[in-house]
Amino acid sequence: MPTDVERWKSEVYGNEIREHLYEFAEEGWDAIPEDEHDEWFERFKWWGLYHQRNGQESYFMMRIGTPNGVLEPGQLRVVGEIAAEYATGPGTNPIFGDAYADFTTRQSIQLHWINIEDVPEIFEKMEENGLSAQQACGDSWRNIVGNPVAGKDAQEVIDAWPVIRELNETFKGNEDHSNLPRKWKVSVTGSADGSGQGDINDLAFEPAYKEVDGEEKVGFNVRVGGGLARNEERFARDIDVWVAPENVSDVAGGLSALFRDNGDRDNRYNARIKFLVDEWGPEKVRNVLQEEYVDFELHTAGRDVREEYTYNTGSGGRNDLIGVHEQKDGNYFVGLNVLVGRMGAEDVLELADLADEYGSGEVRLSQRQNVIVTDVPEEDLDDFLGEDLLEHYSPDPSPFMRGSVACTGTEFCSLSIVETKNRQVRYARWLKENVELPDDIDQFHIHLSGCTASCAQPQIADISLRGMKTRKNGEPVEALDVGLGGGLGEEPQFARWVTQRIPVDEVPGAISNLLDQFKANREDGESFREFVARHDDEELDEFVEPEETDYEDPMMHNTKMTWYPYADEDSMDASPAPTFPDDSPMSADD
């Protein structure tokens, strides 16, 4: 039997949602019938709107999709202006202030405290400047990711940006692909470093060479069925297909249609394509694609470059895109560390000014929640690097700062169990001041995810942190599970969850003790990931020794009992927005 979501989608979905959204915007929040909140909130996601968590009724998060993380000249300024004008809410974040933009692990942008009444004006401003929230969420094609400096990167095998642009233009708003069983995440990368992170996507196109009619050509190998969420992580599997750039859209559309027609619509938990690949196997996926969804002969897989992948491997080479890098045209791109991906609206506007002054005005977003200013001439590099803003968004940060990733957390998300962004900032600052890594390690990844949905991609970090709850001294407190040794590369590995439910104030001490063991027992030149692989779970659990330190955590006793983790008022009743009765569908986290 189809799920409630499938029934709601059968009634209204896709582009037609916009008309209803605008009607509600004109009439106001109260016009949305209380007994229809669940269904409308589900539909609104297709246009990039998520209703925020309990206690924040009437406020939405808006996600802006930026394919491959590319913000064309002028677009970053528009984001900053929208954040300053429309994304200031009733609660003030003690670290980040009133208005800010969040850069995500899928190269998108999220704004908070959005009122539905303002959505038409925001959409108009975005669309006048080439930006869109269409399909940024929902059961459809999500924002396409890849190497953010595609077309400029001196290390790329093939320029993937024209392919990504074509896919975005073809499938955004495409009625034939607007209602899929679940989300559809696509990665296209042409770089030799693996920075598209294709292994964790539903569909991945990765650079590969193939001899065709006696001539060696560069195109893409195809992998299907990756993903991280809900303790059901999978790496995308090779389906033995190589595709030329001009045929990527046909193959991508064929696989999207295959998923549309065969994905599980009776059980949303099993609706991702990774489960279909589990059931069918890669060979059947290829055969059905060939027989039913493309009208040309598929090539077998070509020679890939996975042995060159360094991005997020935890070892040598380019683990991220922070710092100064030469472009293929002789100019430079400069990757700036945005700690946990959050930048205040005023800083967004200042960065837009600097991008205009020193570069082409273009800015790009990475999957590590950082920003990249492109097209900086060599003669302007020193002046750019000397700007005051770069003291806060450094191109040469501490390993603990550059490796910190965090999801939205209980600040806004109904699924999250713990506070994340402010906490990871505090963790990173404490570790920077109190813990030393070996001299040859300048990049170290710590990802904090508020729940098992894995929006912070914890399974592919050196140290993975996942939200839980426990009791300490008889009182409920926020806690974290600890996983170790995840990463991508030629031989990707998911983190091993070795220690459970550490009270959040003891986590920095646990990390410090773990890294002391790493330094004391490390073999010559061994990476942290290699060190983890050399020990069993019991040994690693002993290394992760929780300990109280001088680190203090102001949110540890919140356990989601207030309408906002940083509110002075300490109850859900203090919410500035109307709350639902206890028997309402929205009274519990969904």
Side-chain angles (χ1 to χ4, degrees), residues 315-365:
S315 55
R318 226 164 55 174
N319 264 261
D320 59 25
L321 295 166
I322 295 295
V324 178
H325 304 267
E326 188 171 4
Q327 297 177 182
K328 61 173 64 174
D329 64 1
N331 289 322
Y332 288 80
F333 68 84
V334 182
L336 305 179
N337 177 222
V338 182
L339 187 55
V340 302
R342 178 166 288 178
M343 181 177 283
E346 291 184 3
D347 289 349
V348 171
L349 293 169
E350 184 175 350
L351 182 62
D353 290 340
L354 295 180
D356 281 339
E357 181 178 354
Y358 292 103
S360 62
E362 181 186 79
V363 171
R364 301 194 178 191
L365 310 177

Coordinates of all heavy atoms in Angstrom, one line a residue, residues 315-365:
S315 N 45.1 11.2 4.0 CA 46.5 11.0 3.8 C 47.0 12.1 2.9 O 46.4 13.2 2.8 CB 46.8 9.6 3.2 OG 46.0 9.4 2.0
G316 N 48.1 11.9 2.2 CA 48.7 12.9 1.4 C 47.9 13.4 0.2 O 46.8 12.9 -0.1
G317 N 48.3 14.6 -0.4 CA 47.6 15.1 -1.5 C 46.5 16.1 -1.0 O 46.4 16.5 0.1
R318 N 45.6 16.4 -2.0 CA 44.6 17.4 -1.7 C 43.4 16.8 -1.0 O 42.6 16.1 -1.6 CB 44.2 18.0 -3.1 CG 44.1 19.5 -3.1 CD 44.0 20.1 -4.5 NE 43.0 19.6 -5.3 CZ 42.7 20.1 -6.6 NH1 43.5 21.0 -7.0 NH2 41.8 19.6 -7.3
N319 N 43.3 16.9 0.3 CA 42.2 16.4 1.1 C 41.0 17.3 1.0 O 39.9 16.9 1.3 CB 42.6 16.2 2.5 CG 43.0 14.8 2.8 OD1 42.3 14.0 3.3 ND2 44.3 14.4 2.4
D320 N 41.2 18.6 0.7 CA 40.1 19.5 0.5 C 40.6 20.6 -0.4 O 41.7 20.4 -1.0 CB 39.7 20.1 1.9 CG 40.8 20.8 2.6 OD1 41.7 21.3 2.0 OD2 40.7 20.9 3.9
L321 N 39.9 21.7 -0.6 CA 40.3 22.7 -1.5 C 40.6 24.0 -0.8 O 40.6 25.1 -1.4 CB 39.2 22.9 -2.6 CG 39.0 21.7 -3.5 CD1 37.7 21.8 -4.2 CD2 40.2 21.5 -4.4
I322 N 41.0 23.9 0.5 CA 41.4 25.1 1.2 C 42.8 25.6 0.8 O 43.6 24.7 0.4 CB 41.4 24.8 2.8 CG1 40.0 24.5 3.3 CG2 42.0 25.9 3.6 CD1 39.1 25.6 3.2
G323 N 43.0 26.9 0.8 CA 44.3 27.4 0.5 C 44.4 28.0 -0.9 O 43.4 28.1 -1.6
V324 N 45.6 28.3 -1.4 CA 45.8 28.9 -2.7 C 46.2 27.9 -3.7 O 47.1 27.1 -3.5 CB 46.9 30.0 -2.5 CG1 47.2 30.6 -3.9 CG2 46.6 31.0 -1.5
H325 N 45.5 27.9 -4.8 CA 45.7 26.9 -5.9 C 45.7 27.5 -7.2 O 44.9 28.4 -7.5 CB 44.6 25.8 -5.9 CG 44.5 25.1 -4.5 ND1 45.1 23.9 -4.2 CD2 43.7 25.4 -3.4 CE1 44.8 23.6 -3.0 NE2 43.9 24.5 -2.5
E326 N 46.6 27.1 -8.1 CA 46.7 27.7 -9.4 C 45.6 27.1 -10.3 O 45.4 25.9 -10.3 CB 48.1 27.5 -10.0 CG 48.3 28.2 -11.4 CD 49.7 28.2 -11.9 OE1 50.5 27.5 -11.2 OE2 50.0 28.9 -12.9
Q327 N 45.0 28.0 -11.1 CA 44.0 27.6 -12.1 C 44.7 27.2 -13.4 O 45.9 27.6 -13.6 CB 43.0 28.6 -12.3 CG 42.1 29.0 -11.1 CD 41.2 30.1 -11.3 OE1 40.5 30.5 -10.4 NE2 41.1 30.7 -12.5
K328 N 44.0 26.6 -14.3 CA 44.6 26.2 -15.6 C 44.9 27.5 -16.5 O 45.7 27.4 -17.4 CB 43.7 25.2 -16.3 CG 42.3 25.8 -16.7 CD 41.5 24.8 -17.6 CE 41.3 23.5 -16.9 NZ 40.4 22.6 -17.7
D329 N 44.2 28.6 -16.2 CA 44.5 29.8 -16.9 C 45.5 30.7 -16.4 O 45.8 31.8 -16.9 CB 43.2 30.6 -17.1 CG 42.6 31.1 -15.8 OD1 43.2 30.9 -14.7 OD2 41.5 31.7 -15.8
G330 N 46.2 30.3 -15.3 CA 47.3 31.1 -14.7 C 46.8 31.9 -13.5 O 47.6 32.4 -12.8
N331 N 45.5 32.1 -13.4 CA 45.0 32.8 -12.2 C 44.9 31.8 -11.0 O 45.3 30.7 -11.2 CB 43.6 33.4 -12.5 CG 43.7 34.6 -13.4 OD1 44.6 35.4 -13.3 ND2 42.7 34.7 -14.3
Y332 N 44.4 32.2 -9.9 CA 44.3 31.4 -8.7 C 42.9 31.3 -8.1 O 42.2 32.3 -8.2 CB 45.3 31.9 -7.7 CG 46.8 31.7 -8.0 CD1 47.4 32.6 -8.9 CD2 47.5 30.6 -7.5 CE1 48.7 32.4 -9.3 CE2 48.8 30.4 -7.9 CZ 49.4 31.3 -8.8 OH 50.7 31.1 -9.2
F333 N 42.6 30.2 -7.5 CA 41.4 30.1 -6.7 C 41.9 30.0 -5.2 O 43.0 29.3 -5.0 CB 40.5 29.1 -7.1 CG 40.9 27.6 -6.9 CD1 40.8 27.0 -5.7 CD2 41.4 26.9 -8.0 CE1 41.1 25.6 -5.6 CE2 41.8 25.6 -7.9 CZ 41.6 24.9 -6.7
V334 N 41.2 30.6 -4.3 CA 41.6 30.6 -2.9 C 40.4 30.0 -2.1 O 39.3 30.6 -2.0 CB 41.9 32.0 -2.4 CG1 42.4 32.0 -0.9 CG2 43.0 32.6 -3.3
G335 N 40.7 28.8 -1.5 CA 39.7 28.2 -0.6 C 39.7 28.7 0.8 O 40.8 28.7 1.4
L336 N 38.6 29.2 1.3 CA 38.5 29.8 2.7 C 37.7 28.9 3.6 O 36.7 28.3 3.2 CB 37.9 31.2 2.6 CG 38.5 32.2 1.6 CD1 37.7 33.5 1.7 CD2 39.9 32.4 1.9
N337 N 38.3 28.7 4.8 CA 37.6 27.8 5.8 C 36.5 28.6 6.4 O 36.6 29.6 7.1 CB 38.7 27.4 6.8 CG 38.1 26.6 8.0 OD1 38.4 26.8 9.1 ND2 37.2 25.6 7.6
V338 N 35.3 28.0 6.2 CA 34.1 28.6 6.9 C 33.7 27.5 8.0 O 33.1 26.5 7.7 CB 32.9 28.8 5.9 CG1 31.7 29.4 6.6 CG2 33.3 29.7 4.8
L339 N 34.1 27.8 9.2 CA 33.9 26.8 10.3 C 32.4 26.4 10.4 O 31.5 27.2 10.5 CB 34.4 27.5 11.6 CG 34.4 26.6 12.8 CD1 35.3 25.3 12.6 CD2 35.0 27.3 14.0
V340 N 32.2 25.1 10.3 CA 30.9 24.5 10.2 C 29.9 25.0 9.2 O 28.7 24.9 9.2 CB 30.2 24.4 11.6 CG1 31.0 23.7 12.6 CG2 29.8 25.8 12.1
G341 N 30.5 25.7 8.2 CA 29.7 26.2 7.0 C 28.8 27.4 7.3 O 28.0 27.7 6.4
R342 N 28.9 28.1 8.4 CA 28.0 29.2 8.7 C 28.7 30.5 8.6 O 29.8 30.7 9.2 CB 27.4 29.0 10.0 CG 26.4 30.1 10.4 CD 25.6 29.7 11.6 NE 24.6 28.8 11.3 CZ 23.7 28.2 12.1 NH1 23.8 28.6 13.4 NH2 22.8 27.4 11.7
M343 N 28.1 31.5 7.8 CA 28.7 32.8 7.7 C 27.6 33.8 7.9 O 26.5 33.8 7.3 CB 29.3 32.9 6.2 CG 30.0 34.2 5.9 SD 30.7 34.3 4.3 CE 32.2 33.4 4.6
G344 N 27.9 34.8 8.7 CA 27.0 35.9 9.0 C 26.7 36.7 7.7 O 27.5 36.8 6.8
A345 N 25.5 37.3 7.7 CA 25.0 38.0 6.5 C 26.0 39.1 6.1 O 26.2 39.3 4.9 CB 23.6 38.5 6.7
E346 N 26.4 39.9 7.1 CA 27.3 41.0 6.8 C 28.6 40.4 6.2 O 29.2 41.1 5.3 CB 27.6 41.8 8.1 CG 26.4 42.5 8.6 CD 26.8 43.4 9.8 OE1 28.0 43.4 10.2 OE2 25.9 44.1 10.3
D347 N 29.1 39.3 6.7 CA 30.3 38.7 6.1 C 30.1 38.2 4.7 O 31.0 38.3 3.9 CB 30.9 37.6 7.0 CG 31.4 38.1 8.4 OD1 31.6 39.3 8.5 OD2 31.7 37.3 9.3
V348 N 28.9 37.7 4.5 CA 28.6 37.2 3.1 C 28.7 38.4 2.2 O 29.3 38.3 1.1 CB 27.2 36.6 3.1 CG1 26.8 36.3 1.6 CG2 27.1 35.3 3.9
L349 N 28.1 39.5 2.5 CA 28.2 40.7 1.7 C 29.6 41.2 1.5 O 30.0 41.6 0.4 CB 27.3 41.8 2.3 CG 25.8 41.5 2.2 CD1 25.0 42.5 3.1 CD2 25.3 41.4 0.8
E350 N 30.4 41.2 2.6 CA 31.8 41.6 2.5 C 32.6 40.7 1.6 O 33.4 41.2 0.7 CB 32.4 41.7 3.8 CG 33.9 42.2 3.8 CD 34.5 42.5 5.2 OE1 33.8 42.3 6.2 OE2 35.7 42.7 5.2
L351 N 32.4 39.4 1.7 CA 33.1 38.5 0.8 C 32.7 38.7 -0.7 O 33.5 38.6 -1.6 CB 32.8 37.0 1.2 CG 33.5 35.9 0.4 CD1 35.0 36.1 0.5 CD2 33.0 34.5 0.8
A352 N 31.4 39.0 -0.9 CA 31.0 39.3 -2.3 C 31.7 40.5 -2.8 O 32.1 40.5 -4.0 CB 29.5 39.6 -2.3
D353 N 31.9 41.5 -2.0 CA 32.7 42.7 -2.4 C 34.1 42.3 -2.7 O 34.7 42.8 -3.7 CB 32.7 43.8 -1.3 CG 31.4 44.4 -1.1 OD1 30.5 44.4 -2.0 OD2 31.1 45.0 0.0
L354 N 34.8 41.5 -1.9 CA 36.1 41.1 -2.1 C 36.3 40.2 -3.4 O 37.3 40.3 -4.1 CB 36.7 40.3 -0.9 CG 36.8 41.0 0.4 CD1 37.4 40.1 1.5 CD2 37.7 42.3 0.2
A355 N 35.3 39.4 -3.6 CA 35.3 38.6 -4.9 C 35.2 39.5 -6.1 O 35.9 39.2 -7.1 CB 34.2 37.6 -4.9
D356 N 34.5 40.5 -6.0 CA 34.4 41.5 -7.1 C 35.7 42.2 -7.3 O 36.2 42.5 -8.4 CB 33.3 42.5 -6.9 CG 31.9 42.0 -7.2 OD1 31.9 41.0 -8.0 OD2 30.9 42.5 -6.7
E357 N 36.3 42.6 -6.1 CA 37.5 43.5 -6.2 C 38.7 42.7 -6.6 O 39.5 43.2 -7.4 CB 37.8 44.0 -4.8 CG 39.0 44.9 -4.7 CD 39.2 45.5 -3.3 OE1 38.3 45.3 -2.4 OE2 40.3 46.2 -3.1
Y358 N 38.9 41.4 -6.2 CA 40.1 40.7 -6.5 C 40.0 39.6 -7.5 O 40.9 39.2 -8.1 CB 40.6 40.1 -5.2 CG 41.1 41.1 -4.2 CD1 40.3 41.4 -3.1 CD2 42.4 41.7 -4.3 CE1 40.8 42.3 -2.1 CE2 42.8 42.6 -3.4 CZ 42.0 43.0 -2.3 OH 42.5 43.9 -1.4
G359 N 38.7 39.2 -7.8 CA 38.5 38.1 -8.7 C 37.5 38.5 -9.8 O 37.3 39.7 -10.1
S360 N 36.7 37.6 -10.3 CA 35.7 37.8 -11.3 C 34.4 38.1 -10.7 O 33.4 38.4 -11.4 CB 35.6 36.6 -12.2 OG 35.2 35.5 -11.5
G361 N 34.3 38.0 -9.3 CA 33.0 38.1 -8.7 C 32.4 36.7 -8.4 O 31.4 36.6 -7.7
E362 N 32.9 35.7 -9.0 CA 32.4 34.3 -8.9 C 32.9 33.7 -7.5 O 34.1 33.9 -7.2 CB 32.8 33.5 -10.0 CG 32.3 32.1 -10.0 CD 32.9 31.3 -11.2 OE1 34.1 30.8 -11.0 OE2 32.2 31.1 -12.2
V363 N 32.0 33.0 -6.9 CA 32.4 32.3 -5.7 C 31.8 30.9 -5.8 O 30.7 30.7 -6.4 CB 31.8 33.0 -4.4 CG1 32.0 32.1 -3.2 CG2 32.5 34.3 -4.2
R364 N 32.5 29.9 -5.3 CA 32.1 28.5 -5.4 C 32.1 27.9 -4.0 O 32.9 28.2 -3.1 CB 32.9 27.7 -6.4 CG 32.9 28.3 -7.8 CD 33.4 27.4 -8.8 NE 33.3 28.0 -10.1 CZ 33.5 27.3 -11.3 NH1 33.8 26.0 -11.2 NH2 33.4 27.9 -12.4
L365 N 31.2 26.9 -3.8 CA 31.0 26.2 -2.5 C 31.5 24.8 -2.6 O 31.2 24.1 -3.6 CB 29.5 26.3 -2.1 CG 28.8 27.6 -2.2 CD1 27.4 27.5 -1.8 CD2 29.5 28.6 -1.3

